[in-house]
Amino acid sequence: MAELRQAIQKTIDTFVENNTLAVKNKDVTLMSSVLADGCIRMYRPLSFIRQYPQFFKPQISNAEYETQMEHELLTMQDALQNVTRTVIDTTERAATLWVEKTVHTAASTSTVEVVYDLSFTEDGGRISQVVEFVDTSESIKVLEQILSKMA
């Protein structure tokens, strides 16, 4: 189990690091580099997702996520992530991360809290499912800014 825990931790570290590097390098493929081919990403809470259907679907594939993020990466100048809590369950091959994400754009800086509930492949080397629970209060501000620019 110690080896599995190390593999899961290494995958988590790469997942977080690559999400930051993707913004800096404007390379959306980094965001999927440790995701399994059939990985499904889900957003929560559902009430928030239903409020902004133009931005979110309850469940998306890696390819859909990369397409969505291509546009968002263009607006981001930098991103920082601070993992404040990590819980790894080797029996279930799962982990929960609490992350404070700070995103800098030309117009503003926003910090959003995100909780990731991750499931892993048998060896812990890939993420097979991502459930992303977002800080709705701060996210609403960001989405409303985007919508006002689109109008």
Side-chain angles (χ1 to χ4, degrees), residues 4-142:
L4 179 58
R5 189 184 195 303
Q6 288 176 337
I8 289 172
Q9 184 64 60
K10 182 179 178 187
T11 304
I12 289 168
D13 293 345
T14 303
F15 174 74
V16 172
E17 181 180 324
N18 281 356
N19 281 333
T20 302
L21 287 175
V23 174
K24 293 179 186 200
N25 297 337
K26 303 293 184 237
D27 181 358
V28 72
T29 63
L30 289 169
M31 295 179 152
S32 299
S33 69
V34 293
L35 303 183
D37 289 339
C39 181
I40 296 298
R41 182 180 294 263
M42 294 178 273
Y43 294 104
R44 296 295 184 268
L46 286 174
S47 60
F48 178 68
I49 305 316
R50 290 178 184 131
Q51 186 175 352
Y52 294 98
Q54 66 273 52
F55 290 105
F56 302 106
K57 292 196 293 189
Q59 180 175 307
I60 61 175
S61 68
N62 290 341
E64 290 170 314
Y65 182 70
E66 286 184 7
T67 299
Q68 172 187 320
M69 291 307 298
E70 278 180 19
H71 304 290
E72 291 186 33
L73 283 181
L74 295 175
T75 66
M76 299 177 192
Q77 293 179 331
D78 195 13
L80 304 170
Q81 295 187 92
N82 178 28
V83 179
T84 59
R85 180 174 167 83
T86 303
V87 178
I88 296 173
D89 181 341
T90 54
T91 304
E92 293 294 323
R93 288 178 173 67
T96 302
L97 309 177
W98 291 56
V99 179
E100 294 172 352
K101 286 182 160 187
T102 302
V103 176
H104 302 278
T105 67
S108 66
T109 298
S110 303
T111 300
V112 177
E113 289 182 286
V114 178
V115 176
Y116 290 103
D117 184 12
L118 306 173
S119 299
F120 295 84
T121 56
E122 192 73 21
D123 65 357
R126 294 249 183 240
I127 297 169
S128 57
Q129 179 176 290
V130 177
V131 179
E132 188 172 334
F133 198 98
V134 298
D135 171 359
T136 56
S137 177
E138 192 61 32
S139 295
I140 285 171
K141 293 177 194 173
V142 172

